[in-house]
Amino acid sequence: MENTNTSDLFAVRSAKLQAMRQAGFDPFSQNWEQKQTSLEAKALFDDTAEEEPGVSVAGRILVFRDMGKACFIKILDRAGEIQAYVKRDEIGESAYEAFKQYDIGDIIGFEGPLFKTKTGEITVRVKTMCLLSKALRPLPEKWHGLVDNEAIYRQRYLDLICNAESRKRMFLRSQIIREIRQFLWNRDFIEVETPMLQSVAGGAAARPFTTHMNALDCDFYLRISLELYLKRLLVAGVDRVFELGRNFRNEGLSRRHNPEFTMIELYQAYSDFRGMMRLIRDLIQHLCKTVIGATQIKNYEGVTIDLGGEWREVRYKDLIIEATQDPQWFSRTKAEKLQKCAELGIEVNPDIEDFEVTKNVYEKCVEPNLIQPTFVTHIQKELCPLAKINKADNSVIDVFELCINGQEIAPAYSEQNDPFIQRTMFEAQAGEDQQAVDQDFLKALEHGMPPAGGLGMGIDRLVILLTGASNIRDTILFPSLRPE
RNA sequence: GGGUCGGUAGCUCAACGGUAGAGCAGUGGCCUUUUAAGCCAUUGGUUCAGGGUUCGAAUCCCUGCCGGCCUACCA
C-alpha cells in the first residue's frame, strides 16, 4: 500500500479490504443465517442446562477488547447488543488471523454456544464467524457517542448506531403509530389514502409548497391538511374513516414545527365533538397502556403529566377571562383589549382583527400553562370555519382543542355540514383569492354529508409528549435541514 | 426575517494574543473471561471559509457558510 498514513482511517480500512480480496475473500459477497436476535439468543441461556445452547447471530461490531490470543467483542443488532468471546484455540489460527483484521463498525455473523462470563454476562463462545460488510469509515467515539446536533440529524444512521435513546424513540414512535391504527381498526374505522398533490390546498390556513406536474403542465400544491378529501368520503358513505400521513406547510421551523409533519385525521359519522372527546381520551390512554406502560409521563423539564382518569374541560372564554382578570373582556373594544395586552406584556400587532387579539392572549398566556390534559371548548367561530356553530351562542363553535404539555395536541369539531354556511365561511376566509375556495368540496357537501365528529392530531407532537422529547426533531428521523 | 451562542484530529473535548493538546478510534508490540479492559510506543490538524488588526491570531474585528437556542411569521 502506498498510503502509510495510519491516521487516515478510510485508507487503512480500504487497505484491509483490498488485502482480503487479494486473498480470495470478499466481505460484500457474503451472507449469514441470523437464527436469533441478540435478545432472543440471550433468552435461550439456561444456567441449569447441561449443554450450552448454540445460537447464530449477526450485527455490527461496537466494541473490541483484544487480549492477544482471545478477544471480547460486542455487536449491535435490531434488538440490542450481545457479547461474543473469540478465542484463537476455539476458531483456529488462520480464522483468528482473519478476525484480527475486523474493525469496529464491521458487520459480522457468528455462531457458537452460550456461556456466562466471570462477571455474569451471557456471551457467545464463537465457533465460526464471517465478515459480512466492511466498514470503511469509523464509528463515533464509543463512550460519548454522537453528540453534535447537526451530525445527529444529518447522519441519523450514526446516531441510531451510537445512541440507544434515539433507537428507543424510533421504536416507540413506530409502536405508537401501530397502536393508533389498531385502536381505530378495532372501532371499525377504515384507513384510506387521499391526494398529496392538490390543485387547491384546503382544510387549514397554512402556506403550501408548490410543485409542477409535467404531464398535465400545471402547478399543484402539496397538501396542508387531510380534511376536505376525508369529508368527501363522509359524503360517499364511508362513515368511519381515517388517514395517517404527511402534511406539508411552507412556514417557519422551530422546536415544535417541521415543514413536513405527520398527522392523523379521523371522521366518524353520527358523532360530534363530544364523541371525539371520549375517543381521543380512550385512544391516548390506550397508547399509555400498550406502548408506555404508564399514564404518568415526565416531560423534558421534569414535570409529571398525568394522562389517567377524566380530563379537565373548560371554555375558551373562561380561560381568557381568567388570564386577563377581566370578566368584561369580550365586550371591550379592540383598543381596550390592546391596552390590556400591553399591561400583560403581550406584544400584539395593532393591525390584526379583534378576535386575533384574543387569540394572542390565548396563545401567549393560556396555552403554555395547560400542562395537564385539558379540553378547551367553545372557541371563537372565526378560528375554525369548518366547524358547526353552537346553538346557544352563535359566536362560538362546537369544538375542543386538547392541550397537553403546553401544546395543542388535537383539535376536534362537530363538522359543519350545512353547504350554505360552509360556502359563506370559505368565501369570507378566501377574501380576494376566490381561487382558494375548493368548489368541488362545496359541491360534495351539497350532496349531503352526515353529521359527524372529526379529529386531527399531530403525531410528532404526540410522540414528543409520550417520549418526553424536547424537540420535534428528536421524533422525526430525518428532519428538514438546509442542504449541505 | 431578528437576537444570541457555537463550529479545533474520524468522534468527545482542552488551549482564549506567544511552539495547537488530551481521551477514544487508528498503527506497532505485550496480554486466552474483558465490561469505557489494561500496559508500552506511535501516526494524525488549511483550528468552517475569506478578509482585517498585530512583531505574532484557533484566540481580537468584519463578511460569508452551517448549526443550536430564543423570537417573529404561522386557522
Side-chain angles (χ1 to χ4, degrees), chain A residues 367-384:
Chain A
E367 196 176 63
N369 300 322
L370 298 177
I371 303 299
Q372 301 304 325
T374 305
F375 290 115
V376 181
T377 65
H378 298 86
I379 292 169
Q380 307 175 95
K381 69 176 173 193
E382 294 85 351
L383 295 177
C384 325

Side-chain angles (χ1 to χ4, degrees), chain A residues 128-188:
Chain A
T128 60
M129 65 194 315
C130 185
L131 181 61
L132 308 174
S133 183
K134 185 72 192 162
L136 297 176
R137 296 181 187 274
L139 288 180
E141 194 229 20
K142 63 185 172 189
W143 186 237
H144 300 92
L146 195 62
V147 170
D148 179 63
N149 269 307
E150 190 174 352
I152 284 174
Y153 300 142
R154 289 195 196 276
Q155 294 181 276
R156 183 67 87 180
Y157 43 93
L158 294 180
D159 174 48
L160 291 170
I161 292 167
C162 298
N163 297 325
E165 279 301 304
S166 292
R167 258 195 324 275
K168 190 177 164 196
R169 218 178 286 119
M170 174 181 71
F171 286 125
L172 277 176
R173 181 178 175 124
S174 171
Q175 283 170 7
I176 287 166
I177 288 172
R178 190 174 65 195
E179 287 299 334
I180 290 172
R181 288 199 161 105
Q182 195 64 57
F183 177 90
L184 292 173
W185 293 338
N186 288 345
R187 293 188 176 212
D188 221 14

Side-chain angles (χ1 to χ4, degrees), chain A residues 217-241:
Chain A
D217 189 26
C218 59
D219 287 339
F220 275 81
Y221 298 108
L222 299 188
R223 69 177 173 198
I224 56 174
S225 156
L226 312 171
E227 180 147 359
L228 301 188
Y229 280 94
L230 293 178
K231 283 184 174 171
R232 283 171 168 88
L233 293 172
L234 282 179
V235 170
V238 188
D239 282 354
R240 296 184 181 202
V241 65

Side-chain angles (χ1 to χ4, degrees), chain A residues 199-200 228-229 232 235 423 426 437-447:
Chain A
S199 51
V200 181
L228 301 188
Y229 280 94
R232 283 171 168 88
V235 170
R423 182 177 292 278
F426 269 11
V437 176
D438 189 333
Q439 298 295 343
D440 180 71
F441 171 70
L442 291 171
K443 192 195 286 177
L445 274 196
E446 287 162 7
H447 281 280

